Amino acid sequence: LRYETHEEPLKDYKEVIKRSFKPLKIGDIYVIPPWCEKKSEKKCIVIEPGMAFGTGRHETTKIMMLLMRKVEFEEREVLDVGCGSGILSLYAYILGARKVLAIDNDEYACSSAKKNVALNMAHSVEVKKEDLRELDGEFDIVLANLDMNTFKGHMGRIASATRKKGTIILSGILESEKKELLRYLGDLEVEREKKLGGWAGLIL
């Protein structure tokens, strides 16, 4: 067996990350990293890139934020299930939500979300390490950017966490999975749909 070895030059990964994460416009808002200057005339969400999902680059995050613009958040109580970086909770806060509860069962995601909440000074956003099955209470709006397996096992629980005449905004499914998802919706009605890059999102 023949092999060769090559030594890679040392990289400053902090600088690599800074070059990779530039301000990103989604709808009416900019998602920016902490090292970019926040311009007062523009609405911004500050997200520190890390291991938690939700820097705004993925299609499902964009779908969620574009659908959120179609819903009235003013003075509403919001639940963000599987919050990741907290980007959707922070957008709900900007849209006027009175109270936002962001939950995730991953310790790192919760740590990341808490850091981003502090960076944005979003005082009405609370982050908890909690499983959806342990959750008490009902909310006006539930945000769920998850995956098909989670929806398959927990769609009923997501629906029961939503107040009567409340709204669920979901994504994380492929366009090809939409028909399967509809089987788990029960009495929920599809109000609006958004597709982007082979992914789909719904307002229920």
Side-chain angles (χ1 to χ4, degrees):
L1 180 65
R2 296 178 125 193
Y3 66 91
E4 294 179 354
T5 62
H6 301 272
E7 188 169 336
E8 287 287 313
L10 291 172
K11 291 181 181 178
D12 183 344
Y13 284 100
K14 196 171 182 180
E15 286 304 313
V16 171
I17 289 171
K18 284 187 177 183
R19 286 197 300 271
S20 301
F21 287 91
K22 305 292 185 187
L24 173 70
K25 190 172 189 287
I26 304 174
D28 63 341
I29 198 155
Y30 286 84
V31 180
I32 64 171
W35 53 83
C36 285
E37 186 180 349
K38 192 172 182 179
K39 296 183 179 179
S40 58
E41 73 276 10
K42 294 176 180 176
K43 288 192 286 186
C44 296
I45 298 174
V46 181
I47 295 291
E48 184 169 311
M51 289 173 64
F53 182 80
T55 59
R57 268 78 188 159
H58 197 272
E59 285 87 347
T60 59
T61 309
K62 292 175 184 175
I63 287 170
M64 289 292 293
M65 293 178 72
L66 292 171
L67 288 175
M68 287 170 70
R69 290 180 64 203
K70 307 296 183 182
V71 174
E72 179 58 63
F73 275 79
E74 197 71 37
E75 289 301 306
R76 300 292 198 273
E77 292 188 356
V78 179
L79 172 66
D80 183 5
V81 181
C83 65
S85 70
I87 187 170
L88 301 180
S89 295
L90 293 167
Y91 193 36
Y93 166 78
I94 287 171
L95 290 172
R98 181 167 62 84
K99 181 181 177 183
V100 183
L101 175 60
I103 65 169
D104 205 297
N105 59 12
D106 180 78
E107 190 70 55
Y108 189 88
C110 291
S111 174
S112 177
K114 286 176 182 177
K115 185 182 292 184
N116 289 322
V117 166
L119 283 171
N120 290 272
M121 295 183 287
H123 308 297
S124 61
V125 179
E126 181 184 7
V127 180
K128 279 186 177 181
K129 183 178 182 297
E130 194 163 357
D131 192 284
L132 179 62
R133 290 168 293 191
E134 302 163 355
L135 185 71
D136 288 325
E138 293 181 338
F139 300 82
D140 301 305
I141 300 169
V142 175
L143 308 173
N145 188 15
L146 303 168
D147 59 72
M148 178 54 78
N149 282 337
T150 306
F151 288 127
K152 186 176 179 179
H154 302 290
M155 194 67 228
R157 185 67 196 93
I158 291 169
S160 66
T162 312
R163 290 193 175 110
K164 193 174 181 180
K165 297 188 178 179
T167 301
I168 299 169
I169 306 173
L170 65 80
S171 189
I173 58 164
L174 294 165
E175 285 184 51
S176 59
E177 295 174 323
K178 181 195 160 190
K179 190 177 286 186
E180 181 185 355
L181 176 71
L182 295 177
R183 299 207 302 263
Y184 308 122
L185 297 187
D187 296 332
L188 294 166
E189 297 178 5
V190 178
E191 187 177 279
R192 191 182 289 263
E193 184 178 345
K194 178 76 179 172
K195 297 177 182 178
L196 192 64
W199 297 89
L202 302 171
I203 297 176
L204 307 173

